Amino acid sequence: PKLKEANVKRRCLPYRTWPLGGSGQYEFIIVEKRGEKNNVGFIQLNRPKALNALCDGLMKEVGHALDDFEVDAGVGAIVITGSDRAFAAGADIKEMQNRTFQECYGGNFLAHWNRVSTVKKPVIAAVNGFALGGGCELAMMCDIIYAGEKAQFGQPEILLGTIPGAGGTQRLTRAVGKSLAMELVLTGDKINAQEAKQSGLVSKVYPVDQLVSEAVKCGEKIASNSKLVSAMAKEAVNAGVRHDRLCGEEKSQFSGQVDQEFDDKH
């Protein structure tokens, strides 16, 4: 899908690809470096015919791309996006329907999906269109969510006779509060971008054609800071989100000690 960024001055370099079947190309995602200094890792989900449904292969590719960006000293932040029509419309039901509950549970089917939330570098989700089910969960695994004006968020799994399986019940509750989370999970209803911003799920809303460039700008701003301190700040905030107040305070105190030691040495 074409991203309308003709008026945005940026350089864009293709990133090293993870070989699939000897082809040397990703099958389900597009991976690049963006920003004037090429310091923002960029991952675009690329299954347009399936509205970027999250199949196992796609999530494995995302994990490999994240692993590469994690060890790349030139990358300070990462942006994950989809198309104008869909960030990700959910998990790939066709792939999952042939698996029994025992196979999914015993085989830890969704285990590697959590890689997005364990990356030390800040991750920004740029959400246009549908972010439903697993797509909403993927967005919530990121540290910051920017939404296009036509974005829609929801956890409609109950309409299929199941519940969110990749942490959606916990992350959604922490993001929007118990009442709205309960309503969305129990009814399968969706909320639009403005409602998502009002509830705290999304931090900013942009026109569809400006969303990705604004997310990259945010990534550039983050990448201009110390990568070590950014990682520490992210860990401290996440500790607070988990209601681990003591751990969060310790991280903040440790950061203060680092600052003091830096001042003493300089």
Side-chain angles (χ1 to χ4, degrees):
K2 294 181 180 179
L3 300 176
K4 300 176 183 178
E5 298 176 358
N7 297 324
V8 180
K9 293 183 179 179
R10 61 163 175 77
R11 289 200 301 160
C12 174
L13 294 180
Y15 202 61
R16 182 179 73 80
T17 55
W18 175 49
L20 287 174
S23 66
Q25 298 291 326
Y26 286 102
E27 183 178 0
F28 302 118
I29 62 175
I30 297 171
V31 181
E32 302 168 342
K33 284 185 180 181
R34 292 198 177 186
E36 292 184 1
K37 296 182 179 179
N38 294 307
N39 55 2
V40 179
F42 184 83
I43 300 172
Q44 181 178 5
L45 311 184
N46 190 36
R47 295 188 71 201
K49 292 182 179 180
L51 295 180
N52 292 329
L54 304 176
C55 63
D56 199 46
L58 182 149
M59 293 307 297
K60 285 180 178 177
E61 288 186 12
V62 169
H64 279 270
L66 290 172
D67 289 343
D68 283 346
F69 284 140
E70 187 83 298
V71 299
D72 189 331
V75 171
I78 301 164
V79 171
I80 298 178
T81 192
S83 67
D84 287 354
R85 188 179 179 192
F87 176 74
D92 193 327
I93 302 300
K94 291 182 180 180
E95 180 180 70
M96 298 180 68
Q97 68 183 2
N98 294 323
R99 296 173 183 259
T100 65
F101 173 78
Q102 289 80 3
E103 288 174 336
C104 291
Y105 186 80
N108 218 5
F109 177 55
L110 299 177
H112 57 278
W113 284 42
N114 200 46
R115 180 66 182 110
V116 178
S117 64
T118 62
V119 177
K120 292 184 178 180
K121 294 179 179 179
V123 182
I124 304 162
V127 178
N128 267 323
F130 299 113
L132 306 176
C136 187
E137 290 175 306
L138 176 62
M140 291 190 292
M141 290 179 192
C142 300
D143 303 301
I144 298 170
I145 303 178
Y146 281 5
E149 290 175 330
K150 297 181 180 180
Q152 295 186 58
F153 299 84
Q155 299 289 166
E157 287 88 347
I158 197 164
L159 303 179
L160 299 175
T162 186
I163 66 172
T169 51
Q170 292 79 43
R171 291 190 176 94
L172 186 62
T173 302
R174 290 197 293 262
V176 306
K178 177 183 175 182
S179 181
L180 181 55
M182 279 287 192
E183 181 181 358
L184 295 177
V185 171
L186 294 178
T187 65
D189 287 349
K190 299 185 290 289
I191 56 174
N192 62 34
Q194 292 297 338
E195 291 170 324
K197 184 177 186 299
Q198 185 177 6
S199 69
L201 180 61
V202 164
S203 58
K204 292 183 179 178
V205 177
Y206 291 101
V208 171
D209 60 348
Q210 297 177 24
L211 173 68
V212 172
S213 61
E214 291 296 336
V216 171
K217 286 180 184 178
C218 178
E220 288 183 284
K221 186 178 293 186
I222 293 171
S224 68
N225 299 320
S226 163
K227 295 179 180 61
L228 173 61
V229 176
S230 291
M232 291 169 57
K234 172 176 174 173
E235 188 175 356
V237 171
N238 282 335
V241 170
R242 292 191 299 267
H243 302 290
D244 192 348
R245 182 178 58 83
L246 179 59
C247 181
E249 289 176 352
E250 288 175 348
K251 294 294 181 183
S252 297
Q253 291 170 1
F254 178 68
S255 176
Q257 293 171 1
V258 171
D259 291 341
Q260 184 61 50
E261 291 175 4
F262 181 88
D263 291 340
D264 291 342
K265 291 179 180 179
H266 296 79

